[in-house]
Amino acid sequence: MTVRRLTPAIAVTALGALALSGCVAKTDAAATDALTVSSTASACDVSGDAATSGTLTFDVSNDGDDVTEFYLLAEDGLRIVGEVENIAPGTSRTLTLVAQPGEYYTVCKPGMTGDGVGRAAFTVSGDAVALTGEDAEQKQHAVDLYAAFVKDQVGQLVPAVSEFVAAYESGDDETARTQFAQVRAYYERIEPVAEALGDLDPRIDYREVDAVAEGLDWTGFHRIEKDLWVPAADALNADGETPAWQDWAPSTADERAAFGDQLIADVQELYDYVHGEDFAATLADQGIGGISNGAIALLDEVATGKIQGEEDWWSHTDLSDFAANVEGSKMAFSLVRDFAVAQGDDGAALADEIDGGYADLEAALAEYGSLDAGFVSYTDLTDDDKRELTDLINALAEPLAQLTNTVLA
């Protein structure tokens, strides 16, 4: 990374799906009988796949051997609408939330890492539920949902990094190259969280030119990237001046083991942090302003590195990082959007302008691929392509820069 910052959070169109438990007028909430969930190592069996909008209750039983979690995800499969975690084997916990009409997914996560098991579609029908209640309560719930999103992304990052490192350390470079961009997406969506932790982000994500400039040992994703995409003999580093082979050579097997193990350890440190009290306290202190600032910071990440093609200098997978940063930014915005709208006509207009900015940027990115299918190499983009993306970033950045002041008004 080239610029270091502070805290982040996709589907803005249905922010009403944000489950503000306890913040709904009782007369508007259609009470629903509790749904039961059985979580095992390989299944997440929910007693129903549909409900009526309003207060929903999921009674989750852990019938497996590992600590588990249960999630209700929005239609994009990324935004967390509600979650209950740390369910010990043989115990049960209850998730109660208010769900708006829409399409969702249910999923369990035994071991509290990875993609989860038993993902299934879940539909909520009926009328929209009017949100009421204490403003402070709604804001705290937005913070809680953001914390859940961060923990989910890091929980998926841990096993993905282990698999990636195993391929790298064994010399299976072809497999490691195919995994590189996908693994990084989990990190890029929540990058400002790591950036707030001193030297953790530099260890995980510094480019060579940044590490050298600051006199740091160069480790992490980009150290491994250079091994996987060995530069030509006459290539230059991202500064456009330093020869790529100056003070560098492809890693030996022992060096690969050291770099790989270090990345695993650093990502585990990030996992431990986001599941600890310090992270919870930091989010509580920052409140919704921290989430809003995270949306802004992630778009800044695109503007200061990805759009120039300087981030993934050897693999040219910058568009994947670009897309993941945008997803994380949009997620953060989705959690505070209602607070902007609540400020009146100006706030609603600002939210609509930001909605449009994300939609335009996403549509432009989709012309080059997707995170699931992969993007074209950044070197395939013409100057006109880059200029169009830059203009769209700037068009979104202008209203987004006003977001924090608006939600805190």
Side-chain angles (χ1 to χ4, degrees):
M1 259 324 88
T2 53
V3 179
R4 309 290 146 198
R5 304 175 176 66
L6 169 67
T7 320
I10 258 166
V12 174
T13 56
L15 184 60
L18 177 63
L20 297 175
S21 179
C23 302
V24 174
K26 299 301 183 184
T27 56
D28 292 329
T32 302
D33 291 339
L35 294 152
T36 61
V37 181
S38 173
S39 174
T40 65
S42 59
C44 186
D45 295 325
V46 183
S47 60
D49 61 4
T52 303
S53 58
T55 302
L56 301 186
T57 299
F58 295 88
D59 290 334
V60 186
S61 298
N62 186 351
D63 300 317
D65 297 324
D66 295 318
V67 175
T68 194
E69 300 170 324
F70 172 74
Y71 293 88
L72 182 67
L73 305 176
E75 186 175 9
D76 54 38
L78 182 64
R79 183 163 59 86
I80 295 171
V81 176
E83 56 92 29
V84 60
E85 57 185 356
N86 294 317
I87 311 171
T91 66
S92 299
R93 290 190 62 189
T94 298
L95 170 64
T96 300
L97 51 81
V98 173
Q100 301 286 2
E103 300 299 322
Y104 301 85
Y105 292 97
T106 56
V107 66
C108 297
K109 191 176 289 189
M112 300 199 301
T113 61
D115 295 333
V117 301
R119 180 176 296 216
F122 189 88
T123 301
V124 176
S125 59
D127 297 327
V129 181
L131 298 181
T132 62
E134 292 298 324
D135 185 60
E137 184 180 358
Q138 295 185 27
K139 289 179 178 179
Q140 182 57 50
H141 194 64
V143 171
D144 291 344
L145 289 181
Y146 181 67
F149 169 71
V150 171
K151 287 187 282 187
D152 175 63
Q153 290 300 300
V154 179
Q156 295 185 68
L157 176 67
V158 169
V161 163
S162 293
E163 184 177 353
F164 168 69
V165 164
Y168 167 69
E169 291 185 354
S170 69
D172 186 0
D173 289 2
E174 182 177 356
T175 296
R177 283 192 291 265
T178 64
Q179 295 174 343
F180 180 74
Q182 287 283 355
V183 173
R184 284 179 53 75
Y186 300 118
Y187 186 80
E188 293 294 326
R189 292 187 186 106
I190 53 90
E191 185 173 12
V193 173
E195 290 178 348
L197 298 179
D199 64 353
L200 185 59
D201 178 69
R203 297 202 309 265
I204 292 175
D205 203 37
Y206 252 26
R207 302 175 307 153
E208 182 177 10
V209 293
D210 298 319
V212 171
E214 297 184 23
L216 302 174
D217 290 336
W218 184 38
T219 61
F221 278 119
H222 295 302
R223 180 62 182 81
I224 293 173
E225 177 194 9
K226 197 170 183 179
D227 278 336
L228 296 176
W229 284 272
V230 176
D234 60 349
L236 297 177
N237 280 323
D239 58 6
E241 300 176 359
T242 310
W245 288 72
Q246 180 174 304
D247 301 321
W248 179 86
S251 300
T252 65
D254 287 344
E255 288 171 335
R256 283 193 175 211
F259 289 130
D261 291 352
Q262 182 66 56
L263 181 59
I264 289 174
D266 290 337
V267 168
Q268 183 62 50
E269 183 177 333
L270 178 61
Y271 179 91
D272 293 341
Y273 169 71
V274 302
H275 285 81
E277 294 181 359
D278 288 346
F279 178 58
T282 296
L283 286 186
D285 289 343
Q286 294 173 344
I288 62 168
I291 301 174
S292 175
N293 287 333
I296 298 167
L298 278 163
L299 196 68
D300 287 344
E301 291 287 350
V302 178
T304 57
K306 281 74 173 182
I307 195 59
Q308 291 86 5
E310 297 176 355
E311 177 72 7
D312 301 322
W313 187 247
W314 307 114
S315 65
H316 305 301
T317 56
D318 300 85
L319 287 178
S320 292
D321 286 0
F322 186 141
N325 280 161
V326 171
E327 284 189 346
S329 176
K330 186 177 177 182
M331 169 61 71
F333 167 66
S334 76
L335 292 175
V336 300
R337 185 185 187 278
D338 273 357
F339 301 110
V341 172
Q343 301 306 317
D345 291 345
D346 288 345
L350 179 66
D352 288 344
E353 186 177 1
I354 294 172
D355 287 343
Y358 280 119
D360 291 343
L361 187 54
E362 288 175 330
L365 276 172
E367 295 181 11
Y368 306 108
S370 68
L371 281 170
D372 289 337
F375 286 94
V376 301
S377 171
Y378 192 80
T379 57
D380 290 347
L381 270 62
T382 66
D383 288 343
D384 286 343
D385 294 333
K386 297 172 187 176
R387 190 175 301 110
E388 178 190 12
L389 290 172
T390 299
D391 289 345
L392 290 170
I393 292 168
N394 291 337
L396 174 57
E398 184 175 352
L400 197 61
Q402 306 171 42
L403 181 62
T404 303
N405 284 340
T406 300
V407 301
L408 295 180

